[in-house]
Amino acid sequence: MNTTRATPGKDEIALLPEFARLGLDRIALVDSAVAAREAVAALRDQADWGFDTESKPTFVQGEVSDGPHILQLATLERAWVFLLHDTASRDLGAQLLADAGHAKAGFGLGDDTKRIRAKLGVEPTGVIELNHLFRARGYRKDMGVKGAVAVLFGQRFIKSKKAATSNWANPRLTESQLIYAANDAWAAAVVHRALKDRPAEPLSAKP
């Protein structure tokens, strides 16, 4: 019995059509008490969220990150980017993460949850590691958002290397940072819904 499925490689993904991403009109920056309360009200209307964080990268050996600096939560329609240097945004974001009534799906969340415990002092609940769901379907390697979008939708998810390695501790984010951060969480929400809606196909038997 063949118990594994192939994970698409970079060259295969590069040939796929581009996956449409959220624009700025569907991304909310959460950097004040008012914005945080609005985000909480909107997010609590939905049971499942996409989830991710961003931390200022470290480039010197031995340097320890004090992240996360950004928290991203998303529904299928919108995404919210919480700036954690703002007290209200940090406190209400932490409350959302500790809310057991909502699923929080994402990729590679082990490091994210460790940093959240250390910095925000809460235990994220309802966390769903999407790589585990793919592994249960026979994919041996971690998918990541690029592989997941390729497998489920036959499309290529764009991630900017420049944005990925930018300074997430800046008090003001650029448009490219907002788009990068929001879409990581939003794509996770879209992938999670697709996995819920599509039953796993049986693995084929080898002759």
Side-chain angles (χ1 to χ4, degrees), residues 30-81:
V30 183
D31 60 353
S32 68
V34 171
R37 288 194 294 269
E38 291 175 351
V40 168
L43 282 159
R44 283 187 168 154
D45 281 342
Q46 303 293 326
D48 299 339
W49 306 331
F51 163 46
D52 197 17
T53 69
E54 304 294 341
S55 299
K56 177 183 177 181
T58 57
F59 300 105
V60 179
Q61 185 174 3
E63 183 181 1
V64 178
S65 171
D66 62 348
H69 299 100
I70 308 297
L71 165 67
Q72 306 102 273
L73 296 171
T75 65
L76 295 175
E77 292 78 32
R78 297 193 67 196
W80 290 262
V81 178

Side-chain angles (χ1 to χ4, degrees), residues 112-171:
D112 299 76
T113 54
K114 287 179 183 177
R115 293 186 180 195
I116 286 166
R117 292 187 198 106
K119 183 164 184 174
L120 304 185
V122 297
E123 180 66 34
T125 60
V127 173
I128 298 172
E129 172 55 65
L130 292 172
N131 279 315
H132 295 169
L133 301 187
F134 278 101
R135 197 167 295 122
R137 292 179 177 228
Y139 294 94
R140 180 176 296 175
K141 296 181 180 179
D142 283 352
M143 296 293 291
V145 64
K146 288 186 176 182
V149 168
V151 164
L152 292 174
F153 309 114
Q155 295 178 324
R156 173 170 48 95
F157 184 77
I158 302 298
K159 287 175 74 77
S160 165
K161 290 184 179 179
K162 182 177 180 180
T165 57
S166 61
N167 184 2
W168 295 102
N170 278 338

Side-chain angles (χ1 to χ4, degrees), residues 77-97:
E77 292 78 32
R78 297 193 67 196
W80 290 262
V81 178
F82 290 73
L83 301 190
L84 300 182
H85 65 78
D86 176 75
T87 302
S89 301
R90 181 177 64 247
D91 292 346
L92 289 179
Q95 290 178 28
L96 290 172
L97 291 174

